[in-house]
Amino acid sequence: MGGATICILGGGGFIGNHLGRRLLSEGYRVRSVDRDDHRVRDLSDRAGFEFRRFDVRDEGRLAAAIHGCDVVAHLSSLCNPSLYTTRTLDTIGSNYTQALPVIAACREQGARLLHFSTCEVYGRTLAGFAPDDSSFRQDPANTLLSEESSPMLLGPLHRTRWSYAAAKQLLERTIEAEGRERGLSWTIVRPFNFIGPGMDFLPGVDGEGLPRVMACFASALIRGEPLPLVDGGRARRTFVHIDDAVDAIVRMIDRPGASAGRVFNVGHPENECDMAGLARLMIRAFEELTGRGFGPGVKEVVAEDFYGPGYEDCDRRVPDITRARTLLGWEPRIPLPEAVKRTLSAYLGTAGVLPA
Ligand code: UDP
């Protein structure tokens, strides 16, 4: 589909930036929409690239930006766990209400919607409710998250962390219904912890607040402070490098017949570790990259002290990627230590610890 025009809403963010560069290199035209252009500023003179600076809540400019585009990649979202509990209305607004005009504009203008949801719609795993040593918990079938068969298990109302997952889930259901009842052409991506250069921010260096785990750990490494392990670092995640993830996304754009009307998990099932293990990997990568030892180690922090009331963790997220493998011919390739090293190296560049 090279030559087609792709509108990236949230094109200045971590995923949008990487996706836009890859699409340009494959001959697509990219119209990038964001309030912030700092990641994509160097692309301003690149043939085929256009940046429009506005807030996606501006419906007039939104419809104009989508006009003439073949595909709309919708990445604009407030997606940081520290905000789900503290700015719950903004979380729901950004992940549901503000996305409705995007759906309507795509339907009215006949553009394909490539919507970025989240693996968090699955919530907790069935296995996570069983005792640690039970056979039910050990059975991978109760852990693996599959697009068409896994339940979506969110917590009670006072656990406000789930506001994000609930908003994303309702949006997925809206998109599916728009397709079935009104002819919207759609594909939904469920990202499983994408990592890579430019993800989030380092507090006090290029942003403020509490970023996601890799940036928190990188920040502690750079400051020479212990890495904070929430509730002992027992929660598990799989991480996929952004280059692998973008490869899957471009295949969805290239193959409308395979991707239309489907949800895809995008993650790396073999890249799993608990957060204590991730901290060890990051310390090792820091020592290798800087050539100096790291003494402070880790410290345990209580989830509600770290995030405030309302937080509850996802226990585990292992994607079943059979669908992406089969329909897109996609295979994630970058192993976890390498993905961690590349991500950390970029943070060290941003902080001036290594040359940028
Ligand atoms: N976490 C941690 N230390 C931190 C930040 C996060 O141990 O400094 C944990 C968090 O409690 C969760 C995991 O790391 O278990 C991943 O959190 P993240 O914020 O990256 O987002 P999530 O994967 O939950 O969407």
Side-chain angles (χ1 to χ4, degrees):
M1 260 191 88
T5 302
I6 315 298
C7 176
I8 308 182
L9 302 174
F14 163 56
I15 301 173
N17 169 35
H18 284 273
L19 176 61
R21 283 172 200 273
R22 172 75 186 272
L23 290 170
L24 285 172
S25 74
E26 300 213 354
Y28 288 90
R29 284 187 296 274
V30 172
R31 186 175 293 164
S32 176
V33 172
D34 212 300
R35 285 179 304 194
D36 172 11
D37 72 344
H38 81 273
R39 289 187 178 87
V40 294
R41 222 165 271 153
D42 62 300
L43 292 175
S44 59
D45 295 329
R46 179 94 170 249
F49 183 76
E50 182 194 352
F51 187 82
R52 296 195 187 185
R53 186 195 303 275
F54 63 88
D55 190 311
V56 289
R57 285 174 288 193
D58 182 336
E59 291 185 30
R61 296 186 74 181
L62 176 72
I66 289 174
H67 185 73
C69 291
D70 301 279
V71 177
V72 175
H74 183 217
L75 281 150
S76 172
S77 158
L78 193 156
C79 54
N80 178 330
S82 71
L83 304 178
Y84 310 160
T85 51
T86 53
R87 287 173 52 198
T88 307
L89 287 174
D90 285 343
T91 299
I92 294 169
S94 160
N95 288 291
Y96 182 68
T97 326
Q98 288 157 31
L100 298 177
V102 176
I103 298 173
C106 287
R107 174 174 32 78
E108 284 159 16
Q109 300 193 36
R112 280 170 64 202
L113 173 63
L114 178 62
H115 176 71
F116 285 75
S117 185
T118 172
C119 60
E120 194 154 323
V121 293
Y122 292 111
R124 298 172 58 186
T125 65
L126 268 177
F129 290 89
D132 275 353
D133 53 356
S134 64
S135 58
F136 187 86
R137 193 165 184 133
Q138 308 307 332
D139 183 349
N142 298 323
T143 302
L144 202 63
L145 300 171
S146 301
E147 295 95 336
E148 299 303 327
S149 55
S150 295
M152 295 171 168
L153 302 170
L154 309 186
L157 205 60
H158 72 278
R159 295 293 181 187
T160 50
R161 187 246 165 80
W162 302 110
S163 58
Y164 172 70
K168 286 283 205 196
Q169 195 189 122
L170 184 57
L171 194 63
E172 284 194 6
R173 293 185 190 278
T174 305
I175 290 169
E176 185 280 331
E178 285 275 356
R180 205 163 20 86
E181 297 182 11
R182 295 180 177 169
L184 174 77
S185 172
W186 62 270
T187 298
I188 290 174
V189 182
R190 290 186 183 149
F192 281 67
N193 292 72
F194 293 0
I195 59 172
M199 191 211 171
D200 277 1
F201 57 88
L202 293 171
V205 177
D206 59 347
E208 292 305 331
L210 186 61
R212 299 179 69 193
V213 64
M214 291 217 42
C216 285
F217 285 177
S219 177
L221 286 162
I222 290 162
R223 291 167 190 253
E225 294 168 2
L227 279 57
L229 291 181
V230 172
D231 287 346
R234 288 187 309 276
R236 303 178 74 82
R237 295 287 185 273
T238 54
F239 295 94
V240 62
H241 191 275
I242 187 70
D243 290 350
D244 276 337
V246 162
D247 188 48
I249 296 159
V250 172
R251 284 165 189 261
M252 289 175 212
I253 293 172
D254 277 341
R255 301 180 194 198
S259 62
R262 292 200 168 96
V263 184
F264 288 90
N265 288 339
V266 175
H268 195 324
E270 277 86 55
N271 277 358
E272 193 187 20
C273 66
D274 63 17
M275 294 308 105
L278 179 69
R280 283 194 296 276
L281 273 176
M282 287 194 67
I283 290 171
R284 197 182 315 141
F286 179 82
E287 292 181 333
E288 280 171 19
L289 287 164
T290 62
R292 54 178 204 250
F294 182 77
V298 298
K299 67 173 179 194
E300 295 203 7
V301 294
V302 176
E304 297 231 333
D305 295 340
F306 196 72
Y307 288 110
Y311 183 78
E312 185 170 64
D313 213 339
C314 301
D315 53 320
R316 204 170 173 189
R317 295 175 180 162
V318 185
D320 177 352
I321 56 167
T322 310
R323 173 174 279 178
R325 278 184 170 131
T326 314
L327 295 179
L328 306 174
W330 176 69
E331 192 64 45
R333 299 188 187 282
I334 303 171
L336 185 58
E338 177 61 22
V340 164
K341 203 167 177 177
R342 290 193 206 174
T343 309
L344 180 61
S345 173
Y347 287 128
L348 297 179
T350 303
V353 176
L354 291 180

